[in-house]
Amino acid sequence: KILRASYENLLFDCLIPLHRPSGMVLWRDQTPLIGLYHEVLVKCIGALVSVDRTLIDPVIGALLHPDIWPTEGSKGSTSSGRGSGANTPKLILLLHEVDTLISLLRKRDDSEDQIESNLSSFDAHFSPLVSRLCLCISSDNSRISEQSLQMFRNDTFSVMVRRRVKEA
């Protein structure tokens, strides 16, 4: 099934930009603004991409964009400006969302050809995702490292990594 253009527009023009806020509701509570609606947002995006799983790659690519993905506290980084500075709670939410989206690439009732096709459709943003995961795993923040390592518990992600290792 292919999504109608209007649903694709909803996905990329309305839902993905809702990931941009990097502010906190209350800094002392470490609650990111996006945390107020993130669970529902992930469900909406999941419902749309489960109809056309070839959209998972561009959605994850959009989430990796610097306007959305916070840069994790490198030395000398500041928290001023859009998308810059460490925002641990938001990064945890995004890592969980990417993990959820990758899980949608495979369904139990898929044939081997469908699985291969869906996994191949994710090739464009696999390397940038792995680069981000490496940065997160090597983070000084244990919460970010742990959430990044959780990705390797995802069966679909593990299959993708093994596929890449065989190709190399």
Side-chain angles (χ1 to χ4, degrees):
K1 295 179 185 179
I2 304 289
L3 279 180
R4 282 190 277 168
S6 59
Y7 291 121
E8 257 187 78
N9 290 341
L10 171 69
L11 183 60
F12 290 104
D13 296 340
C14 297
L15 297 178
I16 297 296
L18 287 173
H19 289 84
R20 283 198 179 117
S22 289
M24 296 285 183
V25 176
L26 287 173
W27 183 257
R28 65 181 162 83
D29 295 337
Q30 288 292 292
T31 304
L33 217 49
I34 189 176
L36 298 175
Y37 54 86
H38 189 257
E39 185 178 344
V40 177
L41 182 60
V42 172
K43 286 180 182 178
C44 290
I45 291 172
L48 288 171
V49 299
S50 64
V51 173
D52 182 3
R53 290 182 276 168
T54 60
L55 290 173
I56 293 173
D57 178 60
V59 166
I60 291 177
L63 293 177
L64 293 174
H65 192 275
D67 278 352
I68 293 174
W69 194 277
T71 55
E72 208 279 311
S74 58
K75 291 183 177 33
S77 73
T78 65
S79 55
S80 63
R82 245 170 77 190
S84 64
N87 186 339
T88 299
K90 180 180 179 181
L91 197 48
I92 299 294
L93 291 174
L94 289 173
L95 286 165
H96 176 71
E97 181 173 0
V98 168
D99 189 34
T100 302
L101 290 171
I102 286 175
S103 296
L104 295 174
L105 281 169
R106 284 179 21 176
K107 290 184 180 175
R108 288 196 173 123
D109 57 340
D110 282 348
S111 69
E112 287 298 318
D113 290 339
Q114 284 176 312
I115 291 172
E116 186 59 35
S117 172
N118 290 335
L119 295 180
S120 296
S121 73
F122 188 69
D123 285 345
H125 290 102
F126 185 75
S127 292
L129 174 62
V130 170
S131 296
R132 293 287 170 88
L133 284 175
C134 289
L135 287 173
C136 290
I137 289 168
S138 64
S139 170
D140 291 338
N141 188 312
S142 63
R143 289 178 57 208
I144 293 172
S145 297
E146 287 175 29
Q147 188 66 41
S148 304
L149 289 168
Q150 288 294 322
M151 192 78 79
F152 290 92
R153 287 189 171 183
N154 182 324
D155 292 335
T156 306
F157 185 75
S158 296
V159 167
M160 292 165 61
V161 169
R162 283 193 295 274
R163 257 181 81 223
R164 288 298 178 112
V165 169
K166 285 180 185 176
E167 290 173 4

